[in-house]
Amino acid sequence: MDGINAFFSALSSFLWGWPMIILLLGTHLFLTVRLRFPQLRIFTAIRLSFRRDKGATGDVSQFGALATALAATIGTGNIVGVATAVALGGPGAVLWCWLTGVFGIATKYAEGLLAIKYRVRTADGRMLGGPMYALERGLGWKKLAVLFALFTAIASFGIGNTVQANAIASITQETYGISPYITGAVICVLAGAVILGGVKSIARVCSMLVPFMAVFYILGCIYILCVNHSYLGQAVEVIVRSAFSPQAAGGGFVGTTVMMAARYGIARGLFSNESGLGSAPIVAAAAQTRNPVRQALVSSTGTFWDTVVICALTGLVIVSSVIAYPDIDYSDGAALTKAAFTKIPYVGALLLNFGLLTFTFSTILGWSYYGERAVEYLKGKRWTYVYRVAYIAAVFLGSIMNLTLVWNVADCMNALMAIPNLLSLLFLNGVIVHETRKYLWRGRLDRDMDS
């Protein structure tokens, strides 16, 4: 087992190294320029996300699809992941993480567009889509589509399930002394009650849970920043200066190289918002929308909320707290997160625990849909019932197991998902531009897809 774990650890480091970072960030930049900076449409996109597209075809509302995607995306990466980037790359990593989110909006837009463009309607009226359908129907690459679906199904049991359940069990045991077996059983029952109801049940719960948990966390971070207000200006200065200067960061931080700040900031940003990973378009395909561009705009807001807002606030909280309390040890990401938040009396520990618990549970729900659709693509609808039972059982197992190997395998599967998805975006960029010109640039957002 040690040898297998070492292999996947090395493979994960290779897959998430500079080649993957360059491919992902390069795609973000290419699509940003090719699509004439869709980031400038973010307020239009936010407005559309709260509207129900009446009369449009689909299984769930645009907001329901967005909430499900956000449920899967907003997780420990938004809290512990940002702290890990700061611990390894210095405070400058926060700025690189944020910039990755800004440019990632274009990629998430493109993913959402292709999801609607190439989705299919099943015999029972459901909508199915995602990178596997774009690869098969748009490019004729059936084998690569199968590989993407396979990697997605495997990844759903790792990063989307067992590691999240394990995080919840660890938090409740450390904080409240509750046995992982009890926590695992409770999570298993709660997740099962939602997942067995299918996409409409998942979307309904996520539509209620995601806004509540996000608003609570954002307000909590703003409160902490108000407490640390006298250090906020210095924190911003330290973040910006250390992102571009190899000199000592100051403010209690030891300086790091620009390359280290960029590497860890970009990697955490990419991992957090999942732009380019190919997961979010799977649920975007189920949205009730009249044309591909409307859903593309709604999908793009996921990266905005996840990284541009939540990750940025987390980074400011952590950096300002380290400056305010120089005794904080920032050499370890998880320890840094706990120390930074718990320095704030009363609300700090509560905010951290609530954020981690709700973010991880929502991730379990969101990824269950991704994995189920991947299994249906591979084996047909009959196997989705088997998948649901196995997925729910894995929640309990993840709560009580040591998951070092699972983490490494999941990281590898995520990277392997991204490669075929990014290829579909790059090779179908002409289709993306054509649809964008047809509906967005010519002011026809209210037109139906077939008109």
Side-chain angles (χ1 to χ4, degrees):
M1 290 299 293
D2 289 341
I4 296 174
N5 187 49
F7 168 77
F8 279 104
S9 178
L11 180 60
S12 175
S13 298
F14 169 75
L15 290 172
W16 283 105
W18 277 110
M20 176 61 75
I21 290 175
I22 292 171
L23 177 61
L24 275 162
L25 190 58
T27 302
H28 291 352
L29 294 171
F30 170 74
L31 290 173
T32 292
V33 176
R34 189 85 167 91
L35 296 171
R36 302 180 186 176
F37 294 84
Q39 294 88 343
L40 299 175
R41 312 273 186 167
I42 193 64
F43 293 110
T44 298
I46 292 172
R47 187 174 66 254
L48 286 174
S49 67
F50 290 101
R51 286 183 181 176
R52 182 174 291 275
D53 209 349
K54 296 180 180 179
T57 55
D59 301 331
V60 296
S61 67
Q62 290 181 138
F63 181 75
L66 173 64
T68 303
L70 280 172
T73 304
I74 299 176
T76 53
N78 297 83
I79 303 177
V80 179
V82 174
T84 300
V86 173
L88 297 174
V94 175
L95 180 60
W96 288 108
C97 179
W98 185 80
L99 289 173
T100 301
V102 171
F103 290 112
I105 290 173
T107 300
K108 192 64 73 73
Y109 169 94
E111 290 178 320
L113 190 152
L114 292 182
I116 300 297
K117 176 70 177 177
Y118 293 109
R119 69 182 180 179
V120 299
R121 185 190 294 273
T122 64
D124 57 359
R126 293 176 300 117
M127 290 292 189
L128 303 179
M132 53 277 205
Y133 293 91
L135 286 163
E136 179 183 352
R137 303 183 70 216
L139 294 168
W141 295 352
K142 174 70 174 180
K143 292 182 179 179
L144 206 57
V146 169
L147 285 176
F148 174 85
L150 179 62
F151 296 145
T152 301
I154 296 173
S156 70
F157 281 98
I159 196 64
N161 184 326
T162 51
V163 297
Q164 306 296 332
N166 191 266
I168 296 175
S170 298
I171 294 167
T172 53
Q173 184 178 34
E174 292 175 7
T175 307
Y176 308 108
I178 300 174
S179 168
Y181 287 89
I182 296 175
T183 302
V186 173
I187 305 170
C188 190
V189 171
L190 292 176
V194 179
I195 292 169
L196 291 175
V199 64
K200 292 185 179 180
S201 173
I202 294 171
R204 184 168 57 253
V205 172
C206 291
S207 295
M208 294 185 292
L209 180 61
V210 168
F212 173 71
M213 72 182 193
V215 169
F216 182 88
Y217 183 75
I218 290 171
L219 291 177
C221 286
I222 292 173
Y223 169 78
I224 293 177
L225 292 177
C226 288
V227 174
N228 293 344
H229 70 277
S230 58
Y231 303 95
L232 191 55
Q234 187 180 352
V236 173
E237 181 185 352
V238 167
I239 288 171
V240 174
R241 187 173 68 243
S242 59
F244 301 104
S245 172
Q247 304 300 319
F253 288 95
V254 176
T256 58
T257 66
V258 173
M259 292 296 286
M260 286 179 64
R263 175 184 176 182
Y264 290 110
I266 292 171
R268 284 298 97 189
L270 295 172
F271 193 78
S272 171
N273 61 52
E274 297 184 10
S275 293
L277 189 63
S279 52
I282 296 175
V283 70
Q288 297 166 347
T289 185
R290 67 186 69 183
N291 63 61
V293 171
R294 287 177 73 94
Q295 182 55 38
L297 288 168
V298 173
S299 294
S300 71
T301 64
T303 299
F304 173 79
W305 294 120
D306 176 89
T307 306
V308 179
V309 176
I310 295 179
C311 283
L313 286 174
T314 303
L316 285 173
V317 166
I318 289 171
V319 174
S320 65
S321 295
V322 171
I323 295 173
Y325 308 99
D327 60 313
I328 291 179
D329 178 15
Y330 59 89
S331 59
D332 175 76
L336 170 58
T337 304
K338 186 175 182 179
F341 278 85
T342 53
K343 281 290 184 179
I344 307 302
Y346 307 115
V347 72
L350 174 63
L351 173 64
L352 177 61
N353 290 330
F354 178 84
L356 288 172
L357 288 172
T358 55
F359 286 5
T360 49
F361 180 72
S362 67
T363 299
I364 292 173
L365 299 182
W367 267 91
S368 71
Y369 182 78
Y370 297 159
E372 184 177 321
R373 293 288 74 80
V375 168
E376 181 168 1
Y377 179 83
L378 293 169
K379 302 292 291 183
K381 184 180 179 181
R382 186 180 306 174
W383 281 86
T384 61
Y385 301 107
V386 176
Y387 171 84
R388 289 182 187 180
V389 173
Y391 191 88
I392 294 168
V395 171
F396 178 78
L397 293 176
S399 301
I400 61 176
M401 292 171 56
N402 185 305
L403 299 178
T404 302
L405 176 60
V406 175
W407 260 112
N408 289 326
V409 173
D411 280 350
C412 293
M413 293 303 105
N414 281 348
L416 292 172
M417 284 173 62
I419 294 172
N421 178 59
L422 292 171
L423 289 176
S424 72
L425 295 173
L426 294 173
F427 279 91
L428 291 171
N429 77 86
V431 174
I432 298 168
V433 170
H434 173 77
E435 295 295 317
T436 302
R437 180 183 297 111
K438 180 179 179 181
Y439 296 107
L440 183 61
W441 297 343
R442 292 177 179 173
R444 298 174 178 173
L445 274 179
D446 292 330
R447 295 287 185 91
D448 291 335
M449 186 171 178
D450 295 328
S451 62

